[in-house]
Every structure is written in structure tokens, then in C-alpha cells.
């Protein structure tokens, strides 16, 4: 019996592109301004061939861009595109979740400061009413035939 095609899902599509550890770590470093290959290799710890593959894939997807900073020898740095910058809140939210659930109090490797001078604590709100987003307040409305939803869940 042939397996059914999985149902269409934007989360699955995004994960297919950036859901691999080194891809997200590349984006982290590029957003922090560490976009040169040697910096990326050192800070991420990925094997150089895997890093080169991830960089190529992220450039091809339009998440980062490649810019020459040296002609002899030819060297490139990687910068976030608008699409890459739009993923930065996802990284910040993942970091905050990891700080809360995977680290001991006071054992955080990095703190991000907002321009207001305070530590940034990511918080998801509705863009229309400004209310905090809570699981119990969500209702999914599938737009593709075959999707069913048992209750107020998102995925």
C-alpha cells in the first residue's frame, strides 16, 4: 500500500528549508554579523563541506546573500536578506524557550538587549488587537481539503 502524501503545511515547508541545526546556526551567526566563512565554521562547529552546502542552499532560497569582500584571494561574506531578517524573531523565540526550559537559571550563553536598553524577552501578540497569543485563544481554519482539526490547535 502506497503511503499517503502528507498534508500541505507551511510549517513543514519552512522546516524543509531551515529546520536543520546548521541552517539555523548559520542564520544566527549571520544576524549577529559573523558572516565570513571562517567565522561561521569556528562559531558553528559544522564540518566545512556541510557548512558550504548549507550556505549555498540558504543563498539559493533567498534567506542570505553572498557578497565579495576580497578579490585576491576571492572571499565572501554572507548577509541576511529581508526573508532572513524575518526569521530572526523565530531564532529569538527559540533562544528564549531554550533559556527557560533547557538551562539552569543564570546559565544563559547570551542576552539580547533592545534599543530601549532593556533585555529583550520575545512575546507573541496579535498584530490587530495587540493581545498576547495563548494556545486556548487560537482556532485553526484549514484552507486545504482533507485537513481536520479536533480543537483550538495550530499545527
Amino acid at each position: 500500500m502506497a503511503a499517503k502524501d502528507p498534508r500541505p503545511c507551511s510549517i513543514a515547508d519552512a522546516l524543509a528549508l531551515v529546520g536543520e541545526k546548521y541552517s539555523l546556526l548559520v542564520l544566527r551567526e549571520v544576524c549577529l554579523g559573523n558572516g565570513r566563512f571562517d567565522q561561521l565554521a569556528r562559531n558553528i562547529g559544522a564540518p566545512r563541506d556541510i557548512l558550504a552546502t548549507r550556505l549555498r542552499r540558504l543563498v539559493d532560497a533567498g534567506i542570505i546573500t553572498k557578497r565579495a569582500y576580497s578579490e585576491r584571494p576571492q572571499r565572501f561574506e554572507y548577509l541576511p536578506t529581508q526573508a532572513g531578517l524575518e526569521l530572526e524573531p523565530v531564532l529569538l523565540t527559540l533562544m528564549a524557550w531554550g533559556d527557560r526550559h533547557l538551562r539552569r537559571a543564570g546559565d544563559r550563553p547570551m542576552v539580547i538587549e533592545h534599543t530601549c536598553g532593556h533585555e529583550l524577552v520575545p512575546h507573541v501578540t496579535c498584530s490587530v488587537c495587540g493581545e498576547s497569543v495563548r494556545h486556548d485563544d487560537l482556532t485553526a481554519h484549514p484552507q486545504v481539503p482533507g485537513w481536520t482539526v479536533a480543537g483550538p490547535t495550530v499545527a
Side-chain angles (χ1 to χ4, degrees), residues 2-19:
K4 273 178 77 174
D5 287 335
R7 53 191 185 178
C9 175
S10 296
I11 295 170
D13 295 343
L15 287 174
L17 185 58
V18 296

Side-chain angles (χ1 to χ4, degrees), residues 99-116:
D99 287 346
R100 280 191 311 274
H101 297 286
L102 304 176
R103 299 217 165 257
R104 287 177 282 152
D107 185 29
R108 297 181 301 165
M110 183 181 301
V111 173
I112 303 293
E113 182 180 290
H114 189 263
T115 57
C116 69

Side-chain angles (χ1 to χ4, degrees), residues 91-154:
L91 294 176
L92 294 171
T93 303
L94 276 172
M95 182 180 82
W97 184 90
D99 287 346
R100 280 191 311 274
H101 297 286
L102 304 176
R103 299 217 165 257
R104 287 177 282 152
D107 185 29
R108 297 181 301 165
M110 183 181 301
V111 173
I112 303 293
E113 182 180 290
H114 189 263
T115 57
C116 69
H118 292 92
E119 177 183 340
L120 177 71
V121 178
H123 184 78
V124 179
T125 61
C126 174
S127 65
V128 176
C129 71
E131 292 291 321
S132 294
V133 174
R134 296 177 334 148
H135 175 76
D136 292 341
D137 297 332
L138 303 175
T139 303
H141 297 280
Q143 305 296 303
V144 178
W147 269 80
T148 58
V149 178
T153 58
V154 174

Side-chain angles (χ1 to χ4, degrees), residues 21 71 75 83 89 91 142 145 151:
K21 171 184 173 180
E71 293 300 320
R75 302 263 189 238
L91 294 176

